[in-house]
């Protein structure tokens, strides 16, 4: 039976005219699932979570450091979904919003933007987590973000690297956040690197390589 996943969108991709929007990327990475996108930033209200098998919140060009009422409501919706026993995953902005609603602080990364194909490492908790079952200790994923989560809010850190201390977290058995973008591939991250809005110094140190670990993580999440 095909799983139904609520895809909460707090923004759109800068490359949607060329590469499609978040639902295109997640559909490709997740495989055989039925995605129901909801445009939160445009005022759409998510339907009852009871009809879905899981909830994912995507990234966004917006920042949790400048919260709005709809962001608060969306974060609370994810908390409620988790209380109802649904698996919940926040990605990049979604990761930060979920952590924030649990009481963690969100801040600009003092090291600047993390961009491109990067390595992350599992913590001891990450190596035990069902989300990362079968993963190596160190693996590559795609990343583009300026904000980060600071430890707090009862979060269990699952993965980190030198650029960002909370690359993945768990809050309970089926609630997760990942700072990196498991839905992105080398083409989409290359577009970000080559964008006219990317600072030359960020572009100079960024690389784009294919990696299957992001898609594997999403498919693993959908098995939980």
């Amino acid at each position: 039976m095909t799983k139904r996943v609520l895809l909460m969108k707090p923004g759109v991709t800068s490359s949607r005219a060329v590469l499609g929007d978040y639902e295109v990327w997640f559909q490709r990475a997740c495989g055989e699932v039925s995605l129901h996108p909801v445009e939160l930033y445009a005022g759409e209200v998510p339907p009852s979570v009871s009809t879905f098998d899981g909830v994912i919140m995507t990234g966004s060009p917006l920042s949790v450091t400048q919260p709005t009422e709809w962001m608060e409501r969306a974060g609370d919706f994810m908390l409620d979904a988790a209380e109802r026993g649904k698996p919940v995953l926040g990605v990049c902005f979604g990761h930060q919003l979920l952590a924030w609603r649990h009481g963690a602080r969100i801040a600009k990364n003092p090291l600047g933007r993390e961009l491109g194909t990067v390595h992350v490492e599992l913590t001891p908790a990450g190596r035990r987590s069902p989300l990362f079952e079968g993963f190596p200790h160190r693996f590559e994923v795609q990343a583009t973000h300026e904000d980060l989560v600071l430890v707090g809010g009862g979060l269990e850190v699952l993965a980190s690297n030198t650029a960002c201390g909370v690359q993945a977290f768990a809050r309970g058995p089926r609630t997760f956040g990942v700072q990196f973008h498991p839905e992105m591939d080398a083409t989409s991250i290359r577009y970000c690197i080559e964008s006219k809005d990317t600072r030359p110094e960020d572009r100079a140190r960024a690389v784009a390589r294919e990696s299957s670990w992001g898609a594997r993580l999403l498919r693993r999440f959908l098995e939980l």
Side-chain angles (χ1 to χ4, degrees):
M1 184 175 178
T2 301
K3 289 195 173 183
R4 300 185 73 244
V5 177
L6 181 62
L7 189 70
M8 302 174 70
K9 294 175 56 184
V12 298
T13 67
S14 60
S15 59
R16 63 175 172 169
V18 179
L19 300 176
D21 209 352
Y22 287 114
E23 58 265 38
V24 175
W25 301 2
F26 274 93
Q27 188 69 70
R28 180 176 58 238
C30 289
E32 297 298 320
V33 298
S34 175
L35 293 180
H36 182 95
V38 177
E39 314 284 345
L40 299 171
Y41 65 93
E44 288 190 10
V45 177
S48 172
V49 74
S50 63
T51 61
F52 295 94
D53 299 302
V55 177
I56 297 175
M57 179 178 281
T58 75
S60 173
L62 303 176
S63 174
V64 179
T65 63
Q66 298 176 305
T68 65
E69 288 187 8
W70 70 258
M71 291 180 191
E72 293 180 7
R73 290 194 298 271
D76 290 343
F77 182 93
M78 288 194 290
L79 299 189
D80 181 67
E83 289 180 0
R84 293 171 183 266
K86 303 294 183 179
V88 175
L89 175 66
V91 172
C92 198
F93 175 97
H95 157 92
Q96 296 161 9
L97 184 65
L98 187 56
W100 176 62
R101 293 314 280 166
H102 275 297
R105 193 161 67 88
I106 313 302
K108 288 290 183 186
N109 191 335
L111 299 178
R113 176 176 290 277
E114 185 178 34
L115 176 65
T117 307
V118 303
H119 284 95
V120 300
E121 295 187 3
L122 295 177
T123 65
R127 293 195 290 274
R128 295 190 301 268
S129 172
L131 184 65
F132 291 102
E133 183 177 312
F135 277 62
H137 171 63
R138 188 170 188 260
F139 55 95
E140 286 190 329
V141 287
Q142 317 301 346
T144 172
H145 67 102
E146 291 183 295
D147 296 344
L148 48 66
V149 173
L150 301 176
V151 175
L155 307 181
E156 183 178 42
V157 180
L158 303 181
S160 64
N161 65 11
T162 56
C164 176
V166 187
Q167 284 285 354
F169 72 79
R171 185 62 154 74
R174 303 179 85 190
T175 298
F176 303 97
V178 292
Q179 181 58 73
F180 51 87
H181 283 269
E183 80 283 8
M184 293 183 76
D185 57 16
T187 299
S188 50
I189 199 64
R190 187 176 296 110
Y191 185 97
C192 293
I193 294 170
E194 296 174 353
S195 168
K196 62 180 176 61
D197 297 324
T198 301
R199 300 185 309 170
E201 56 267 38
D202 292 332
R203 186 183 302 119
R205 61 175 179 263
V207 298
R209 289 188 293 267
E210 288 292 356
S211 172
S212 63
W213 293 111
R216 181 165 178 171
L217 180 140
L218 287 172
R219 297 181 190 209
R220 182 73 189 115
F221 167 74
L222 294 170
E223 294 172 355
L224 298 178

